[in-house]
Amino acid sequence: MSEIESEIESDSEPPLLADVYPALVSFLDTALVAEGLPLLAQALVRLRFHGWCRCGPSCTYLRTAPSTRAADAWFHFDDEDAPRVWVQLDQDHASFAGMEICEFELGPAPALDPDRPVGML
């Protein structure tokens, strides 16, 4: 790869989360609206897929912002007795820094996500 191609590639934004995992974005949109959080639901359309946490091969934390944007505020969406997705807010509490995927079927791994953790559905 030439120096110019490398520079262009590094300057490009990560893909939209909705393009990588549309079912996840749809689920979160519905859940956020049902919880009375329409402004957070609107933030979903701008979320970028920044990849998976690299702390271990089976970590299921999906990053939607640089790690420096993460706040200490979390909440989860349940399916009966088990959390399906834990969502971490960003520092402004106006969007998301990432999410822990617990019991949610993401579907087939798309080409936009070649590094999906082992065992993710």
Side-chain angles (χ1 to χ4, degrees):
M1 180 180 314
S2 75
E3 186 176 319
I4 293 172
E5 289 172 324
S6 178
E7 187 175 312
I8 290 170
E9 187 173 308
S10 65
D11 288 342
S12 66
E13 291 187 273
L16 290 170
L17 183 61
D19 291 340
V20 182
Y21 291 115
L24 176 62
V25 171
S26 178
F27 166 76
L28 291 173
D29 180 60
T30 300
L32 287 164
V33 170
E35 291 293 322
L37 301 168
L39 294 178
L40 280 175
Q42 291 172 6
L44 292 169
V45 298
R46 297 182 307 276
L47 285 184
R48 300 276 173 184
F49 175 67
H50 287 260
W52 296 91
C53 176
R54 301 276 183 176
C55 70
S58 61
C59 181
T60 60
Y61 181 80
L62 182 151
R63 297 179 302 115
T64 58
S67 59
T68 56
R69 295 290 309 147
D72 291 335
W74 290 78
F75 58 93
H76 57 86
F77 297 105
D78 297 335
D79 185 22
E80 296 180 25
D81 295 327
R84 294 185 75 187
V85 179
W86 281 88
V87 180
Q88 184 177 26
L89 293 174
D90 71 354
Q91 292 175 351
D92 300 330
H93 292 197
S95 189
F96 307 98
M99 54 198 71
E100 185 80 23
I101 310 300
C102 300
E103 296 292 329
F104 187 85
E105 290 188 31
L106 293 171
L112 294 171
D113 183 11
D115 300 319
R116 189 153 110 183
V118 176
M120 292 291 303
L121 301 174

